[in-house]
Amino acid sequence: MRAARDGWRLATGTLTVVRVGAPATVDAGCARWAMLLAPVAVLPLGLAVALVVWLGSLVPLPPLAVAGVAIGVLSLGSRALHWDGLSDTFDGLTASYDPDRSLAVMKTGTSGPAGSVGVALVALVQAAAFSAYVDTWASALLAGALVCLSRCALWIVCCTLVPPARGDGLGVLHTRTVPVPVAVVGGLLLSVTGGLVVVALVRRTVRRFGGVTGDVMGACIELALATTLLTWAWV
């Protein structure tokens, strides 16, 4: 299936630093497959995190320090793309009640006070949650699996019911490509709580911006990961 192969290449090249060949064709079908295959495309990142967490459990290091390294590895493996999206989304939501002004702020690429604080808080939550998995090899594998599952957030953001906020950018190609039933499954795979957080952010951004952007996609991934890690740590 050519579309699926192109979609895998698009997802891997966009969501990870793994070098793959360029898609032969980038269209709606390719974008749909890219979103559907996102959890599989980041499998190398999940394995890397699982390895760091497992090795951390074998040495006399504070679990929080190991968690920090895991977040660092994950950030490097994704070019910190989602953290940038989280920062821009927080800045946009606090910049103005005017949609155009908010989108302009998000497009500048600079991190304002809200974005900086938001990134710090979510990173702190992720670190605290990751530290709970620095225990056994099974816990480490679970942490890696949750990294992959957090990308199911894209199934919700790119649901056919969610419009793009702009007429250009990453959001235009990927939004409205994932069927509603798949988005529902994504919410369930995010331990429900993660799905609810993503839905809440999507609803908020649609009301504020008129739709979602690539930045919102990144923000949803980081929030989904934090929430899902916390949920499984508590369970």
Side-chain angles (χ1 to χ4, degrees), residues 172-223:
V172 175
L173 179 64
H174 294 87
T175 50
R176 289 179 168 169
T177 59
V178 178
V180 174
V182 177
V184 173
V185 171
L188 295 176
L189 290 175
L190 291 172
S191 68
V192 179
T193 53
L196 290 175
V197 169
V198 173
V199 169
L201 181 58
V202 168
R203 290 188 62 183
R204 181 62 174 166
T205 54
V206 169
R207 289 178 179 177
R208 285 292 308 277
F209 310 146
V212 296
T213 66
D215 286 328
V216 175
M217 296 177 191
C220 285
I221 286 175
E222 295 298 348
L223 289 173

Side-chain angles (χ1 to χ4, degrees), residues 106-200:
M106 294 170 66
K107 204 169 185 178
T108 61
T110 58
S111 183
S116 298
V117 172
V119 167
L121 286 175
V122 176
L124 181 60
V125 172
Q126 285 189 9
F130 264 127
S131 66
Y133 297 83
V134 185
D135 185 13
T136 64
W137 64 267
S139 297
L141 284 178
L142 176 57
L146 294 179
V147 167
C148 296
L149 288 178
S150 67
R151 274 53 181 176
C152 290
L154 294 173
W155 297 358
I156 300 174
V157 187
C158 298
C159 171
T160 53
L161 299 178
V162 182
R166 297 192 184 100
D168 59 356
L170 182 66
V172 175
L173 179 64
H174 294 87
T175 50
R176 289 179 168 169
T177 59
V178 178
V180 174
V182 177
V184 173
V185 171
L188 295 176
L189 290 175
L190 291 172
S191 68
V192 179
T193 53
L196 290 175
V197 169
V198 173
V199 169

Side-chain angles (χ1 to χ4, degrees), residues 50-64:
L51 180 62
V52 169
V53 174
W54 176 64
L55 290 176
S57 68
L58 302 179
V59 295
L61 287 175
L64 191 58

